[in-house]
């Protein structure tokens, strides 16, 4: 049995669910440390190619789910409703690097900012890219 104590080494991202009172800390190795009320302390990892730096995280507030973005430009949807959290779905970006995630409270649309300045939209319920993209040059014209 392995025990983990203290703050994760090399933290890179953090997310908080104020309703469920969960704090998740992601690190350079692709690990997630989930902390909550007394007795809630879990450690999980991204596996395979996505076992790399966690760059962004956002909770689906009070839904028992978390979206993580890793340095290989993949989005992962985690389910926290069972004893051991696990990845339910993943979505790989091909031509652009993920730099930012935003999920308005109560919304089913996740906004993904990229290094080229564009914003892609993902439907959280189906975890698929919508055809809608906010291109940086079109937004600047407005």
């Amino acid at each position: 049995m392995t025990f983990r104590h203290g703050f994760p080494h090399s933290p890179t991202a953090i997310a908080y669910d104020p309703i469920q009172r969960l704090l998740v800390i992601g690190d350079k190795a692709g690990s997630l440390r989930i902390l909550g009320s007394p007795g809630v302390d879990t450690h999980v990892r991204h596996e395979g190619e996505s076992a790399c730096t966690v760059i962004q995280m956002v909770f689906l507030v009070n839904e028992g789910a978390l979206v993580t973005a890793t340095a290989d430009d993949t989005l992962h949807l985690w389910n926290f409703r069972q004893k051991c959290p696990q990845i339910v779905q993943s979505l790989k970006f091909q031509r652009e690097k993920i730099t930012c995630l935003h999920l308005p409270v109560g919304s089913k649309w996740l906004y993904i900012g990229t290094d080229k300045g564009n914003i892609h939209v993902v439907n959280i319920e189906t975890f698929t890219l919508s055809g809608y993209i906010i291109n940086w040059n079109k937004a600047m014209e407005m």
Side-chain angles (χ1 to χ4, degrees), residues 34-53:
I34 305 143
L35 304 165
S37 57
V40 177
D41 186 349
T42 305
H43 177 264
V44 292
R45 295 183 47 88
H46 291 86
E47 299 294 332
E49 192 177 299
S50 288
C52 56
T53 304

Side-chain angles (χ1 to χ4, degrees), residues 5-131:
H5 180 72
F7 202 76
H9 180 68
S10 303
T12 56
I14 190 166
Y16 181 67
D17 184 333
I19 307 295
Q20 294 186 335
R21 294 187 177 148
L22 289 175
L23 176 72
V24 176
I25 304 163
D27 70 10
K28 280 187 175 181
S31 295
L32 300 178
R33 178 92 180 262
I34 305 143
L35 304 165
S37 57
V40 177
D41 186 349
T42 305
H43 177 264
V44 292
R45 295 183 47 88
H46 291 86
E47 299 294 332
E49 192 177 299
S50 288
C52 56
T53 304
V54 178
I55 55 172
Q56 292 281 318
M57 296 189 296
V58 63
F59 266 106
L60 279 62
V61 175
N62 203 28
E63 295 285 325
L66 174 81
V67 176
T68 59
T70 52
D72 67 342
D73 300 310
T74 305
L75 292 175
H76 304 279
L77 179 62
W78 291 83
N79 182 350
F80 284 16
R81 291 182 209 101
Q82 66 268 2
K83 182 139 177 90
C84 184
Q86 62 190 53
I87 295 175
V88 181
Q89 288 181 293
S90 295
L91 186 61
K92 176 87 170 143
F93 273 66
Q94 297 298 331
R95 294 186 272 299
E96 297 182 65
K97 293 195 147 310
I98 298 170
T99 58
C100 185
L101 301 179
H102 177 67
L103 179 66
V105 176
S107 175
K108 66 177 185 174
W109 302 106
L110 173 68
Y111 299 96
I112 297 122
T114 65
D115 64 334
K116 294 185 178 174
N118 300 323
I119 299 171
H120 297 266
V121 183
V122 170
N123 184 314
I124 284 297
E125 294 167 351
T126 61
F127 211 67
T128 55
L129 271 172
S130 78

